[in-house]
Amino acid sequence: MSAVAEAEDAPDQGKIRLDKWLWHARFFKTRGLAAGVVKSGHVRVNGNRAGKAAHAVRSGDVLTFSQADTVRVVRILALGTRRGPAPEAQALYDDLTPPPVKSETPVSPNPRYEGKGRPTKKDRRKLDLNRPGALE
């Protein structure tokens, strides 16, 4: 068999399915979840929307997709052959996601406003001391 015929029979070694790469790089827990995100049109490859999970990606492509509440931007460095441990998966890409902008004041999940919300123990002690006849 000639080298040309062997090259035609073998799949292109420089490409991999998009859903498979996202799963290998551990961005999604299952390949089905990765395929669902790609099919719903939430993944961009080099700025163009990928409509199929079988979209071929190669080294150097830039992927943009949302994960949880952040938008991830990654450049593919390697294709990978298996879904290995996390350090191996992190070697497959370069994270280009800009760091989150930190606000000057910390945002608490339950902000306290003066006079609103449940009083703290310290506030309750103050209220008890100010109540008439509390310590008589």
Side-chain angles (χ1 to χ4, degrees):
M1 191 180 244
S2 69
V4 174
E6 289 178 13
E8 289 176 2
D9 292 342
D12 190 5
Q13 297 299 321
K15 296 180 184 176
I16 189 171
R17 288 175 56 110
L18 177 58
D19 62 335
K20 196 170 183 179
W21 187 86
L22 289 169
W23 177 64
H24 280 186
R26 294 185 164 266
F27 287 111
F28 295 98
K29 191 171 183 176
T30 66
R31 189 168 163 191
L33 286 174
V37 170
V38 175
K39 285 179 190 173
S40 62
H42 297 296
V43 180
R44 293 185 177 269
V45 179
N46 296 327
N48 299 321
R49 191 170 73 180
K52 300 186 301 183
H55 186 92
V57 292
R58 58 179 61 105
S59 295
D61 285 350
V62 176
L63 304 179
T64 307
F65 57 95
S66 62
Q67 187 178 34
D69 58 347
T70 61
V71 175
R72 302 289 304 261
V73 180
V74 296
R75 176 178 289 122
I76 298 175
L77 298 177
L79 299 180
T81 56
R82 67 184 186 120
R83 186 173 198 257
E88 185 178 313
Q90 290 169 353
L92 298 178
Y93 62 90
D94 183 23
D95 197 359
L96 305 174
T97 306
V101 178
K102 294 191 176 189
S103 63
E104 293 178 14
T105 58
V107 178
S108 112
N110 298 321
R112 292 201 92 109
Y113 300 105
E114 190 171 326
K116 293 187 179 179
R118 185 173 178 170
T120 62
K121 189 169 186 177
K122 184 178 179 182
D123 293 337
R124 287 195 315 267
R125 285 190 197 122
K126 277 184 178 177
L127 290 171
D128 288 344
L129 288 175
N130 292 336
R131 186 175 299 143
L135 298 176
E136 292 178 18

